[in-house]
Amino acid sequence: MTSSTESPSAESLPTVKALARLYPFARPVVTRLVLGAVSALVASLLALSIPLVLEVLVQGPIQGGDRAALAWGAGLILVLGLLEALMVWLRRWFVLSPSTRVEYDMRTSFYERLQRLPVSFHDRWQSGQLLSRMMQDISMLRRWLAFGVVLLVVNILTILVGMVLLFRWHWALGLTFLVVCAPLWYAGYRFEKTYGTLARQSQDQAGDLATSVEESVHGIRVLKAFGRGRHALVKFARQAESLRETELSKARAVGWIWFWLVLLPDIAFALCLGVGIVLTQAGQLQVAELVAFFAMATVLRWPMESIGFLFSFLLDARTATDRIFEVFDERNTITDPAAPVTLGASRGALAFEDVHFRYQDAAETERDLLDGVDLVLEPGETMALVGLTGSGKTTLTTLPARLYDVTAGRVTIDGVDVRDLTLHELRTHVGMAFEDATLFSQTVRENVLLGREDLEPGSAEAERVLREALAVAQAGFVDELPDGVDTVIGEEGLSLSGGQRQRLALARAVAARPTVLVLDDPLSALDVDTEALVEDALREVMADTTTLVIAHRPSTVMLADRVALLHDGRVTAVGRHSDLLRESAQYRHVISSLEDEALRGADRGATTDRPSASTQEVTP
Ligand SMILES: Nc1ncnc2c1ncn2[C@@H]1O[C@H](COP(=O)(O)OP(=O)(O)OP(=O)(O)O)[C@@H](O)[C@H]1O
């Protein structure tokens, strides 16, 4: 799992280059962003011009007592101030809407990316990490684009122009101000380094915290059933404490930079005042120039002070960009082929040819989990797959729909390698239902017709398909729900019993009308009689469908046309149940262990169709 400690690090690019990766998202709104920056720059220039007017006022009307000119001067300063305020307002107006547009685009692209990335990616990444990147990091980038980048550029320019003007009044004053304020840049640099590391750490820790919340909310039933609430709280509190410590370190770093940001300009002001008085007494500087100098230094104070903050913002934005692009940069290994083959109407002949598979994180010394599987399913045949626990049955069933790709060999439908079909076409041929039935917080109807985007919602055909699928899955219980098939089922369908959820998941697979149906023990929570009814209905309605079903119970095996035994990474026996019982000792051993398991299950009442806790594993 990818967490704070083992996030794959993004390429180490210089900060500017790293942030430049946001450009494709900003491109559509770049004109408005530039206009926003120009408004901010004009606002700064207006602010810088006020001391110049002041200088003229002090030199002329004030010293000469010219009241009319003084009134004009004061009026001019007022107008400059109003224009500055207008420009600040314009800056906000220009950047606000485009930055939310960029945020929207990034978020939808990120979501689309998550949808496209293969299951192997989701195996490695914690959901909380993805959630915090999607929400916090993208929001931070919006703020960076709207304010951070504009203010950083404009404030640096303001400082440069302001410093030139300070030097113009007297080089000694300008130099004093610059020399005293120069350490700010070193302080800013040191701050950058510390704060950058801390910012990354805190964003990762926030992601871990989000994962913990998500896991415990998701697994609330398991936590309650095992009385692990307290333990989960202790773990959560520990993580929250680590985040708090990081935030405190961040605050300390910000505190220090602020200390220098406030102290150094104050020292600079005091020294400049001393130098200014000496210069004025020596006749090298006029009083008007000294007044204007201090007015200018005051204007420059905020840009000077803000630089440290803006640098930290820059680093936060860089970190957020890295975190977002870590996901965008992930290589998608399961994609459409360059020259796809079209199968059209499929017969449903499914074959595994010398299939090898190993998970990405498997140790090099380990042999392949699937180590040369050969298995052929004839069109319309129902094949049960049996094997000891952990033998790789579930893994094998993920290969036809390309949830994972084989590492060697091939899986074919009607002789065509599944990797030669587009994913869209492949998934119209292959339907799946899993033991852990995942449903969405939508109506029963939407859940069941999930794979039938071709059907017009509410049409007679959609209704027919829905009803037929529900009938095959023996899911008549939906009519008892408050709004029938229009009842919105709770998050992940947890308001339903385990068997009810499984039946809806099966109905969903049936409604998709695949030619190859892969069932990963989707009837485990049903009683044996209901299982037989479902299998009969499946046979009748889906006579042309080739079915590969993982069997954990002898009853499932008996309902199949043939059975395949998976052992040591290979299919070591295929045949009719009765023949295999006679011929294969290994098969007898597996079946007797299934029988023992079924008996134990019956004792516990596990095979009855009753409300069950979530099957999700949660590590409190
Ligand atoms: N996503 C994964 N990443 C790494 N290893 C995995 C992953 N999923 C399963 N495994 C490992 O692969 C092996 C086979 O798992 P699989 O679920 O395919 O077996 P199974 O025969 O279906 O088991 P069971 O009968 O208990 O459901 C197990 O050792 C498991 O730990």
Side-chain angles (χ1 to χ4, degrees):
M1 278 277 159
T2 294
S3 68
S4 57
T5 43
E6 49 183 312
S7 296
S9 64
E11 230 180 305
S12 56
L13 291 170
T15 300
V16 174
K17 275 199 176 163
L19 286 168
R21 302 186 76 193
L22 296 174
Y23 183 67
F25 291 101
R27 191 170 35 214
V29 296
V30 85
T31 317
R32 283 190 67 137
L33 290 179
V34 169
L35 285 174
V38 170
S39 307
L41 191 61
V42 173
S44 283
L45 293 178
L46 287 167
L48 290 177
S49 67
I50 291 176
L52 301 179
V53 177
L54 202 63
E55 182 187 1
V56 176
L57 274 186
V58 176
Q59 238 164 13
I62 291 183
Q63 285 180 352
D66 181 350
R67 285 177 175 238
L70 194 62
W72 276 107
L76 180 61
I77 289 180
L78 185 67
V79 170
L80 289 174
L82 286 176
L83 282 177
E84 184 193 347
L86 180 71
M87 287 298 146
V88 169
W89 180 83
L90 265 183
R91 170 178 67 77
R92 283 188 158 264
W93 182 77
F94 275 128
V95 298
L96 217 58
S97 148
S99 60
T100 50
R101 175 89 230 160
V102 171
E103 183 181 30
Y104 165 85
D105 286 345
M106 288 189 84
R107 214 163 255 154
T108 44
S109 302
F110 195 83
Y111 187 80
E112 189 192 4
R113 187 78 190 148
L114 292 186
Q115 296 292 316
R116 281 180 185 274
L117 281 167
V119 177
S120 55
F121 164 85
H122 292 279
D123 288 344
R124 284 184 294 118
W125 283 72
Q126 290 178 345
S127 52
Q129 279 295 331
L130 298 176
L131 196 68
S132 82
R133 282 162 211 240
M134 167 94 91
M135 302 312 294
Q136 282 166 261
D137 291 316
I138 293 181
S139 287
M140 165 170 299
L141 291 178
R142 170 183 51 78
R143 292 196 301 277
W144 166 249
L145 280 177
F147 306 108
V149 65
V150 172
L151 289 183
L152 186 63
V153 172
V154 168
N155 286 1
I156 287 176
L157 286 177
T158 308
I159 290 171
L160 288 178
V161 175
M163 288 309 299
V164 169
L165 291 170
L166 290 188
F167 269 86
R168 194 184 65 99
W169 280 304
H170 200 286
W171 65 266
L173 278 181
L175 193 64
T176 310
F177 193 76
L178 185 64
V179 166
V180 180
C181 288
L184 276 183
W185 301 100
Y186 177 69
Y189 169 77
R190 286 291 308 270
F191 173 74
E192 260 188 67
K193 293 195 99 156
T194 324
Y195 195 88
T197 319
L198 291 171
R200 166 99 206 189
Q201 198 175 324
S202 103
Q203 277 159 312
D204 280 335
Q205 285 173 335
D208 289 347
L209 210 60
T211 302
S212 286
V213 175
E214 205 238 306
E215 272 188 354
S216 55
V217 170
H218 196 85
I220 192 70
R221 292 161 191 242
V222 180
L223 291 178
K224 281 190 183 296
F226 288 86
R228 300 297 279 172
R230 176 131 203 96
H231 183 88
L233 176 64
V234 169
K235 183 188 164 207
F236 180 83
R238 215 171 23 232
Q239 283 182 319
E241 179 59 26
S242 305
L243 178 60
R244 191 180 86 94
E245 278 164 17
T246 311
E247 286 299 324
L248 275 178
S249 304
K250 269 173 80 180
R252 270 194 287 272
V254 172
W256 269 112
I257 191 76
W258 263 105
F259 173 76
W260 292 113
L261 286 173
V262 172
L263 181 71
L264 292 181
D266 278 348
I267 294 178
F269 272 84
L271 287 178
C272 286
L273 187 62
V275 174
I277 290 170
V278 172
L279 287 173
T280 315
Q281 283 173 347
Q284 292 186 25
L285 192 72
Q286 295 178 16
V287 175
E289 288 173 328
L290 190 59
V291 171
F293 175 89
F294 275 101
M296 183 66 79
T298 309
V299 171
L300 287 184
R301 188 170 177 146
W302 145 243
M304 285 280 203
E305 286 176 356
S306 71
I307 289 295
F309 258 135
L310 290 171
F311 269 124
S312 71
F313 200 178
L314 172 81
L315 287 165
D316 276 346
R318 192 244 147 94
T319 309
T321 310
D322 286 351
R323 284 162 53 87
I324 299 293
F325 277 91
E326 272 172 9
V327 175
F328 281 130
D329 290 344
E330 276 282 333
R331 210 162 67 82
N332 190 358
T333 46
I334 299 194
T335 50
D336 286 338
V341 173
T342 309
L343 206 57
S346 145
R347 289 182 302 117
L350 175 68
F352 297 85
E353 297 174 12
D354 193 22
V355 163
H356 288 252
F357 180 83
R358 57 190 300 118
Y359 284 105
Q360 257 177 353
D361 56 359
E364 274 186 25
T365 47
E366 254 175 63
R367 55 181 284 196
D368 288 352
L369 175 61
L370 300 178
D371 202 11
V373 170
D374 285 300
L375 182 64
V376 176
L377 278 77
E378 302 300 336
E381 181 180 30
T382 299
M383 173 86 73
L385 185 65
V386 297
L388 294 175
T389 182
S391 55
K393 301 181 292 297
T394 297
T395 307
L396 188 71
T397 57
T398 59
L399 303 178
R402 290 190 73 196
L403 297 189
Y404 295 90
D405 265 345
V406 296
T407 36
R410 58 184 207 142
V411 179
T412 64
I413 294 177
D414 293 350
V416 175
D417 191 322
V418 290
R419 288 167 298 185
D420 290 336
L421 299 170
T422 62
L423 289 169
H424 183 261
E425 183 182 351
L426 176 63
R427 286 165 191 172
T428 59
H429 295 307
V430 183
M432 294 192 79
F434 307 92
E435 181 182 12
D436 176 15
T438 300
L439 300 173
F440 298 96
S441 321
Q442 298 173 329
T443 61
V444 169
R445 181 196 302 278
E446 286 164 332
N447 269 290
V448 173
L449 294 181
L450 186 79
R452 294 304 300 269
E453 57 186 10
D454 56 314
L455 293 177
E456 181 71 28
S459 66
E461 175 65 359
E463 195 60 22
R464 193 188 61 72
V465 171
L466 173 73
R467 285 291 154 193
E468 188 181 83
L470 290 171
V472 170
Q474 306 297 307
F477 71 89
V478 294
D479 292 321
E480 315 284 309
L481 296 173
D483 296 317
V485 290
D486 292 314
T487 309
V488 176
I489 46 186
E491 193 180 353
E492 297 212 358
L494 289 184
S495 53
L496 300 176
S497 78
Q500 286 172 332
R501 273 187 285 139
Q502 281 197 342
R503 277 182 275 175
L504 288 188
L506 181 65
R508 180 169 60 200
V510 169
R513 274 295 174 163
T515 44
V516 173
L517 185 60
V518 182
L519 305 175
D520 181 359
D521 203 23
L523 311 177
S524 60
L526 270 59
D527 60 80
V528 176
D529 294 339
T530 314
E531 182 186 2
L533 285 175
V534 170
E535 298 254 354
D536 282 348
L538 269 177
R539 258 179 228 285
E540 203 178 302
V541 178
M542 307 190 74
D544 303 335
T545 303
T546 310
T547 309
L548 177 62
V549 55
I550 295 183
H552 277 124
R553 289 189 295 180
S555 54
T556 317
V557 174
M558 296 195 218
L559 292 164
D561 298 322
R562 287 195 297 161
V563 192
L565 171 66
L566 187 62
H567 181 66
D568 274 348
R570 290 169 187 222
V571 170
T572 50
V574 188
R576 284 152 48 104
H577 172 62
S578 48
D579 295 341
L580 290 181
L581 270 187
R582 235 187 2 262
E583 292 160 14
S584 165
Q586 180 68 38
Y587 184 74
R588 282 195 294 278
H589 170 67
V590 171
I591 291 295
S592 73
S593 69
L594 291 186
E595 278 163 355
D596 290 350
E597 188 53 39
L599 278 177
R600 278 199 297 275
D603 283 349
R604 288 194 307 265
T607 52
T608 56
D609 186 2
R610 65 201 176 107
S612 70
S614 164
T615 47
Q616 297 284 328
E617 276 291 317
V618 170
T619 321

